[in-house]
Amino acid sequence: MGPVFKKDLIIVQIVAALTKRHFIKQLQVPEGTLISQAIKLAEMKEFYPEINCSTLKVGIYGKAVCSETVLQQGDRIETYRPLISDPKEKRKLKNIQKVRKA
């Protein structure tokens, strides 16, 4: 790869809320950078040592995407934590409890 000039750089933001702590970092990366590369550059692993970057679910502005997605200027990369419980099951249990109280 040749030298990187200012015009070849884009600005992206990475956000995460995997625990009670929030992570927000703005990066300047070369055009053509993948989400997985940006996450490594952001050093999220130092902030969240428990995460497995290879299985981390990610999205851009609320839309789920693959970690091999090429970033565009201004993208906001969001990391998604695993669900603690299935929302459908939780609603079903809540409705059963309501019926029992009635």
Side-chain angles (χ1 to χ4, degrees):
M1 180 152 65
V4 176
F5 299 103
K6 276 270 194 225
K7 67 178 182 175
D8 296 326
L9 298 175
I10 59 172
I11 296 174
V12 297
Q13 188 177 51
I14 299 178
V15 297
L18 301 176
T19 61
K20 294 180 181 180
R21 299 177 298 155
H22 301 288
F23 177 89
I24 300 174
K25 193 165 193 176
Q26 187 167 301
L27 296 174
Q28 198 172 24
V29 297
E31 288 180 349
T33 298
L34 306 176
I35 290 177
S36 57
Q37 294 169 324
I39 289 171
K40 286 179 187 169
L41 288 171
E43 300 173 338
M44 270 185 56
K45 192 75 170 158
E46 290 181 22
F47 195 75
Y48 293 116
E50 70 277 9
I51 67 167
N52 180 349
C53 291
S54 63
T55 60
L56 195 61
K57 303 288 185 204
V58 294
I60 296 178
Y61 288 112
K63 182 180 177 192
V65 295
C66 169
S67 64
E68 299 304 305
T69 300
V70 177
L71 293 167
Q72 304 294 317
Q73 172 65 31
D75 278 350
R76 176 185 166 105
I77 304 162
E78 301 165 348
T79 58
Y80 306 123
R81 63 179 175 250
L83 293 175
I84 295 170
S85 64
D86 181 358
K88 290 179 184 178
E89 288 298 317
K90 197 171 182 177
R91 275 194 301 276
K92 189 186 298 183
L93 290 173
K94 191 174 181 179
N95 288 337
I96 289 172
Q97 290 172 350
K98 283 183 183 179
V99 170
R100 287 183 180 166
K101 287 182 181 179

